[in-house]
């Protein structure tokens, strides 16, 4: 049930192998001039030193495409233009419509995939970078799971280190209730700043904070308990954000920096034993080959500071160690902002030198750009502080509620609120996912909430509109699945081919960890649906029964594909809005 391009590639593979005397790629691609084109004759002709049109002719003469193409034509220097047979497309699509997986096969080899994402810092506001990591990571998790991989979600929160001395002392000063109250409201930065101010101004406090760090690092039970409460308060807040965002993360996925403390001495000892550690400016470092600064001097990865403390890099080395050895990862994704690119490249390089990262394991930093405000600078709140995520998400829902009330005043209150939530949160997520992740993008309420353009509301609306056809017809969608199809118009053919391309788009999206590719596909799909909707009546009286039945299948599989793909992005598609 592969998409037509792969069907053609499979049929042509033996023909090309025969001509080449060895396997040769027929290079089947979508085309502007026909439905598809075969481009493989040109490179093969070069290799064999023959005229490419001769090879193209052999492709035509082979007759292997008779069942799938109504036209096979040589063009230009040796391309072969293909027009798919309508009945073939209809058969393929009918099979997809009856398939729960919409034609998407599970990956040939199931991997153990570790996804490191979200990773906010305790007692600090989650910033919009954490939003991006959370949303992109969540989409990648869902896609990998759907393809049959075992996914291990790792939320590497920043929950350890020197600042916890002052944070715990501040917690003791203001009392737990006050602290919890502030953090529930998302004022994590307020807590942090107050602690920091005292640390700078008050020597006695500074001394207490220092003692407290020592106690924390020696796992003094009372200190650990205080630390745990502080972490829990932060996590309560993070969980509220995750709940609003509708992502898969739970407390079971927490794997903060603190969890790697006991492993760091081992990691360090092994580096020393492997003779990789050298001294540099009083610190203990590893120099991975190939990394240099602007003056072309080798760049060190610091594993132990001059004060004898393990570093962020050391905890990431421990992470690699743990994920490979204990979790048995085949693939590790780190969904972290672009500024940490060099950090990860160096960590991976050192892990390879130490033998923890072998050729069988793939470690990939999945970087992303920044979210900008209207002024094209990093997004800030009006007061100039970091934007509070909870407030941002609530505003999205409020704005969506206003739009829904205007668009569909008949929807009852509860339904309206639910739809507003789905649209508002969907809009924020989709705005993030639909731009190439490596680029910065401007946060723009009006654009992301618009009901036209490449937005979540536009796609959700396309889905709801298809669902409404079934409501009006009084037809159960399950009943139409498996029915025969006929593709009579250009719009139906176009839509059918788009739907059949879903598996290969998903493959490409996952292979490049680029959710925006799936978004672009969804936007194209929604436009094809609109074209179909405008030209191909379904329920009108003058439509004959067979045509109506076929078009209902097309509506059903279109709606299912929209809903499914949005689902992989972590976005819901209401059936009414
Ligand atoms: N907590 C870090 C930050 O906010 C991100 C951690 C990313 N994951 C990792 N394994 N280093 O920048």
């Amino acid at each position: 049930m592969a998409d037509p391009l792969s069907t053609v590639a499979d049929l042509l593979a033996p023909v090309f192998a025969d001509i080449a005397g060895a396997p040769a790629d027929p290079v089947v691609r979508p085309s502007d001039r026909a439905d598809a084109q075969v481009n493989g004759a040109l490179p093969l002709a070069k290799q064999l030193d023959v005229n490419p049109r001769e090879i193209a002719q052999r492709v035509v003469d082979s007759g292997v495409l008779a069942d799938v193409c109504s036209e096979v034509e040589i063009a230009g220097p040796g391309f072969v233009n293909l027009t798919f047979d309508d009945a073939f497309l209809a058969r393929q699509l009918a099979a997809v419509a009856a398939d729960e997986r919409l034609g998407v096969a599970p990956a040939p080899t199931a991997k153990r995939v570790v996804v490191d994402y979200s990773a906010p810092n305790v007692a600090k506001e989650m910033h919009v970078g954490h939003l991006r990591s959370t949303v992109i990571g969540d989409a990648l998790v869902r896609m990998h799971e759907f393809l049959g991989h075992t996914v291990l979600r790792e939320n590497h929160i920043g929950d350890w280190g020197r600042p916890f001395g002052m944070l715990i002392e501040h917690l003791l000063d203001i009392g737990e209730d006050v602290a919890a109250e502030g953090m529930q409201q998302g004022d994590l930065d307020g807590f942090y700043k107050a602690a920091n101010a005292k640390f700078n101004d008050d020597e006695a406090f500074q001394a207490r904070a220092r003692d407290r760090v020592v106690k924390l690092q020696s796992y003094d039970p009372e200190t650990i308990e205080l630390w745990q409460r502080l972490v829990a308060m932060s996590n309560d807040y993070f969980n509220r954000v995750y709940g609003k965002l509708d992502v898969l993360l739970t407390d079971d996925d927490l794997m903060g920096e603190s969890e790697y403390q006991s492993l760091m001495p081992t990691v360090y000892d092994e580096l020393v034993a492997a003779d990789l550690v050298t001294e540099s400016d009083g610190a203990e470092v590893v120099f991975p080959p190939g990394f240099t600064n602007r003056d072309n001097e080798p760049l060190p990865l610091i594993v132990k500071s001059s004060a004898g403390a393990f570093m962020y890099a050391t905890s990431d080395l421990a992470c690699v160690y743990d994920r490979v050895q204990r979790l048995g990862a085949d693939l590790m994704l780190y969904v972290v902002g672009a500024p940490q690119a060099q950090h990860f490249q160096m960590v991976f390089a050192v892990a390879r030198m130490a033998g923890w990262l072998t050729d069988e394991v793939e470690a990939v930093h999945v970087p992303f750009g920044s979210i900008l405000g209207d002024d094209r600078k990093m997004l800030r709140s009006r007061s100039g502080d970091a934007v509070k995520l909870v407030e941002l998400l609530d505003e999205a829902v409020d704005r969506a509620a206003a739009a829904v009330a205007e668009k569909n005043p008949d929807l009852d209150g509860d339904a309206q609120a639910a739809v507003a939530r789905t649209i508002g949160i969907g809009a924020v997520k989709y705005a993030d996912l639909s731009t190439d992740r490596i680029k910065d993008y401007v946060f723009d309420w009006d654009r992301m909430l618009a009901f036209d353009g490449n937005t979540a509301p536009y796609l959700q609306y396309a889905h709801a509109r298809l669902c409404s056809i079934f409501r009006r017809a009084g037809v159960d969608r399950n009943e139409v699945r498996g029915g025969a199809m006929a593709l009579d118009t250009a719009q139906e053919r176009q839509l059918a081919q788009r739907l059949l391309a879903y598996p290969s788009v998903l493959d490409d999206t996952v292979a490049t960890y680029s959710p925006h590719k799936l978004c672009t596909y969804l936007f194209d799909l929604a436009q094809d649906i609109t074209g179909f909707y405008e030209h191909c009546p379904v329920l009108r009286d003058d439509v004959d029964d067979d045509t109506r039945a076929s078009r209902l299948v097309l509506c059903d599989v279109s709606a299912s594909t929209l809903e499914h793909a949005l689902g992989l992005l972590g976005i819901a598609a209401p059936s009414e809005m």
Side-chain angles (χ1 to χ4, degrees):
M1 206 169 15
D3 82 77
L5 297 187
S6 353
T7 306
V8 167
D10 290 347
L11 289 168
L12 289 178
V15 179
F16 270 75
D18 203 31
I19 301 171
D25 185 358
V27 196
V28 186
R29 296 284 180 267
S31 162
D32 304 335
R33 262 160 281 149
D35 292 333
Q37 60 188 56
V38 183
N39 299 342
L42 286 92
L44 182 56
K46 207 166 198 183
Q47 188 192 315
L48 301 177
D49 199 18
V50 298
N51 183 342
R53 287 185 69 100
E54 272 170 42
I55 297 183
Q57 190 61 50
R58 284 186 62 179
V59 168
V60 175
D61 293 344
S62 74
V64 294
L65 300 179
D67 285 342
V68 305
C69 290
S70 55
E71 257 175 80
V72 181
E73 247 179 11
I74 301 177
F79 301 111
V80 184
N81 287 350
L82 307 179
T83 306
F84 293 124
D85 181 57
D86 293 349
F88 161 68
L89 290 178
R91 274 196 315 274
Q92 297 284 102
L93 192 59
V96 167
D99 176 22
E100 262 180 21
R101 295 184 58 90
L102 297 166
V104 182
T109 33
K111 296 181 191 162
R112 286 177 75 77
V113 185
V114 172
V115 186
D116 180 316
Y117 66 117
S118 193
N121 300 312
V122 165
K124 278 203 188 158
E125 181 55 59
M126 256 177 124
H127 55 67
V128 285
H130 297 120
L131 170 76
R132 294 213 71 182
S133 174
T134 306
V135 168
I136 296 168
D138 185 63
L140 294 177
V141 166
R142 291 175 197 260
M143 290 179 203
H144 281 87
E145 278 181 350
F146 176 60
L147 292 182
H149 300 297
T150 302
V151 179
L152 306 151
R153 303 186 291 255
E154 299 271 281
N155 192 356
H156 192 79
I157 57 171
D159 62 354
W160 199 255
R162 294 198 61 77
F164 282 90
M166 70 175 193
L167 292 170
I168 291 170
E169 286 304 318
H170 181 56
L171 177 67
L172 285 170
D173 283 357
I174 64 170
E176 248 177 70
D177 293 344
V178 177
E181 168 82 34
M183 291 202 201
Q184 265 304 302
Q185 284 158 16
D187 191 21
L188 278 67
D189 274 348
F191 183 89
Y192 195 97
K193 280 185 187 158
N196 206 33
K198 270 198 275 178
F199 189 84
N200 291 333
D201 298 345
D202 176 345
E203 267 174 40
F205 182 81
Q206 215 176 82
R208 272 160 57 202
R210 293 227 169 85
D211 285 350
R212 194 55 83 176
V213 179
V214 175
K215 283 188 175 160
L216 182 66
Q217 278 161 352
S218 56
Y219 293 87
D220 161 56
E222 189 215 320
T223 303
I224 288 292
E225 220 188 287
L226 288 164
W227 167 78
Q228 279 168 340
R229 289 216 280 275
L230 191 61
V231 174
M233 282 177 208
S234 272
N235 279 334
D236 280 348
Y237 175 70
F238 300 150
N239 283 335
R240 270 183 58 212
V241 174
Y242 297 150
K244 281 185 197 280
L245 268 179
D246 202 6
V247 293
L248 299 169
L249 284 170
T250 69
D251 283 347
D252 292 343
D253 307 316
L254 287 171
M255 197 61 189
E257 287 173 35
S258 64
E259 302 272 359
Y260 299 94
Q261 295 306 306
S262 58
L263 191 55
M264 289 204 278
T266 311
V267 162
Y268 171 78
D269 288 347
E270 286 196 23
L271 288 173
V272 172
D275 219 6
L276 296 172
V277 179
T278 37
E279 204 237 80
S280 168
D281 288 334
E284 294 183 57
V285 310
V286 181
F287 286 106
F291 292 89
T292 48
N293 66 14
R294 270 186 227 142
D295 301 326
N296 225 19
E297 291 154 356
L299 265 182
L301 188 74
I302 305 176
V303 292
K304 210 183 224 183
S305 74
S306 49
F310 291 130
M311 310 294 286
Y312 182 54
T314 328
S315 82
D316 261 324
L317 286 170
C319 254
V320 172
Y321 190 102
D322 183 62
R323 289 169 188 181
V324 176
Q325 310 258 330
R326 185 177 60 88
L327 299 179
D330 302 304
L331 171 63
M332 302 186 283
L333 304 180
Y334 291 77
V335 188
V336 185
Q340 293 192 38
Q342 190 174 60
H343 163 77
F344 284 112
Q345 295 324 318
M346 292 179 78
V347 165
F348 299 158
V350 171
R352 265 187 216 105
M353 293 162 81
W356 303 323
L357 203 53
T358 56
D359 289 346
E360 285 81 68
V361 186
E362 217 184 325
V364 185
H365 175 215
V366 181
F368 51 81
S370 310
I371 308 184
L372 309 176
D374 296 338
D375 54 0
R376 303 204 60 96
K377 298 207 187 99
M378 294 281 262
L379 188 67
R380 298 254 155 224
S381 71
R382 256 169 252 121
S383 60
D385 291 333
V387 176
K388 292 195 177 58
L389 275 191
V390 162
E391 285 172 11
L392 186 114
L393 298 176
D394 288 345
E395 181 166 355
V397 175
D398 288 346
R399 284 175 182 257
V404 174
E406 194 188 301
K407 262 209 151 11
N408 194 349
D410 299 340
L411 221 56
D412 76 67
D414 283 354
Q416 230 178 60
V419 170
R421 202 180 151 263
T422 316
I423 295 181
I425 298 300
V428 171
K429 287 177 150 187
Y430 192 84
D432 200 295
L433 294 166
S434 57
T435 28
D436 190 347
R437 62 175 157 72
I438 199 68
K439 295 194 183 139
D440 298 343
Y441 74 92
V442 175
F443 194 90
D444 179 343
W445 285 120
D446 294 333
R447 211 175 71 111
M448 72 177 75
L449 283 161
F451 279 77
D452 49 35
N454 191 10
T455 67
Y458 175 63
L459 301 172
Q460 289 167 323
Y461 185 64
H463 173 263
R465 192 153 78 158
L466 290 166
C467 294
S468 86
I469 294 177
F470 289 91
R471 271 197 301 278
R472 275 184 284 137
V475 173
D476 178 354
R477 283 175 60 184
N478 287 305
E479 306 280 289
V480 307
R481 282 174 204 155
M485 305 192 66
L487 304 169
D488 295 329
T489 62
Q491 287 78 16
E492 287 166 282
R493 271 187 109 257
Q494 162 87 13
L495 177 54
Q497 289 191 70
R498 185 77 66 194
L499 291 163
L500 290 170
Y502 184 43
S504 55
V505 171
L506 197 53
D507 261 1
D508 187 29
T509 302
V510 172
T512 53
Y513 315 113
S514 297
H516 78 281
K517 292 186 179 176
L518 187 58
C519 297
T520 303
Y521 169 79
L522 275 169
F523 184 45
D524 290 339
L525 172 61
Q527 286 176 302
D528 291 340
I529 293 170
T530 303
F532 161 74
Y533 201 80
E534 279 163 8
H535 288 92
C536 308
V538 181
L539 303 181
R540 220 164 64 188
D541 289 345
D542 58 341
V543 177
D544 66 71
D545 288 352
D546 286 351
T547 305
R548 173 172 308 133
S550 169
R551 287 181 180 170
L552 281 171
V553 183
L554 203 47
C555 289
D556 172 59
V557 64
S558 297
S560 299
T561 307
L562 280 172
E563 184 186 13
H564 190 263
L566 282 170
L568 292 181
L569 298 170
I571 298 172
S575 56
E576 204 175 345
M577 63 187 257

